[in-house]
Amino acid sequence: IKYKKIIETIPYNILLTNEENITYSNNNENSINIYDKNLKHIIMDTAKKGEISYICEKGNENHIIINKTSFLEDNQVNNLVIIRDISQYVNLLENIKISKEKYKSLVNSIPEGIYMWDMNKEGCLYGNEKIFEIMEAETLRDINNSDIKSKIETTLFNTNDCAKFIRHKVKST
């Protein structure tokens, strides 16, 4: 009884299965229907482990991490199955990726060269396509090895470093 209470408080689905059925579930993660036909097939297949995506009966795509281990009890093979729903995490990563692409597209559409310089590491962290064109650079290393550092002005304001935005005109030859 003591261990059952501990298992019931763990925030993941913990299941015990035999060769045909789910024999125990702590019923902890409401977002996962362990009796969904597609998920149950994954649960009962002892070879399927790790990060898995599946379509539930409602038609939604779900993402889970599933770990399994087998053990012998009363001459019967049982499986301990732990399922963690990572659907929100996967969707969040996808939204971040989309947001990054939108930001990158916006910055690259600006007709001026833009770069981010790390004052502590003394290096360029990012440059839009135009700054690479202006600097005739192919990589960030090319920009870091250029004379661009000498054109950056900094001021100390209290204990924080503040960068001034400076517009440089580059003349074509």
Side-chain angles (χ1 to χ4, degrees), residues 82-160:
I82 301 172
I83 303 172
R84 183 173 158 211
D85 185 3
I86 59 167
S87 297
Q88 287 181 329
Y89 173 75
V90 170
N91 292 336
L92 179 64
L93 287 179
E94 185 62 32
N95 289 339
I96 289 171
K97 190 177 186 181
I98 291 168
S99 178
K100 178 183 173 186
E101 291 304 316
K102 285 180 182 177
Y103 172 77
K104 191 174 179 180
S105 175
L106 174 68
V107 172
N108 282 332
S109 69
I110 297 171
E112 296 178 331
I114 297 174
Y115 61 93
M116 290 189 320
W117 190 270
D118 185 330
M119 301 307 287
N120 296 325
K121 294 181 181 177
E122 295 186 355
C124 186
L125 300 174
Y126 171 80
N128 70 346
E129 291 174 3
K130 192 66 175 179
I131 195 70
F132 282 96
E133 181 183 322
I134 292 169
M135 298 293 298
E136 297 177 350
E138 292 183 23
T139 66
L140 288 175
R141 180 174 283 156
D142 296 338
I143 292 175
N144 290 335
N145 292 335
S146 71
D147 68 342
I148 200 167
K149 181 181 173 187
S150 65
K151 297 176 181 169
I152 298 173
E153 286 185 31
T154 59
T155 58
L156 287 177
F157 182 76
N158 293 337
T159 57
N160 299 326

Side-chain angles (χ1 to χ4, degrees), residues 3 11 13 19 47 52 116 141 144 149 173:
Y3 296 113
N13 281 91
E19 292 179 2
I52 297 173
M116 290 189 320
R141 180 174 283 156
N144 290 335
K149 181 181 173 187
T173 53

Side-chain angles (χ1 to χ4, degrees), residues 2-19:
K2 176 170 75 171
Y3 296 113
K4 185 176 180 183
K5 295 253 185 231
I6 291 170
I7 289 179
E8 287 175 351
T9 61
I10 295 174
Y12 308 126
N13 281 91
I14 298 177
L15 314 171
L16 291 176
T17 65
N18 57 27
E19 292 179 2

Side-chain angles (χ1 to χ4, degrees), residues 4-47:
K4 185 176 180 183
K5 295 253 185 231
I6 291 170
I7 289 179
E8 287 175 351
T9 61
I10 295 174
Y12 308 126
N13 281 91
I14 298 177
L15 314 171
L16 291 176
T17 65
N18 57 27
E19 292 179 2
E20 300 110 26
N21 295 311
I22 297 171
T23 58
Y24 170 80
S25 169
N26 69 340
N27 293 319
N28 236 0
E29 199 159 328
N30 296 332
S31 62
I32 295 177
N33 176 8
I34 60 170
Y35 298 104
D36 178 277
K37 183 176 73 176
N38 297 330
L39 179 57
K40 190 171 180 183
H41 178 71
I42 294 168
I43 292 169
M44 300 309 289
D45 184 348
T46 57

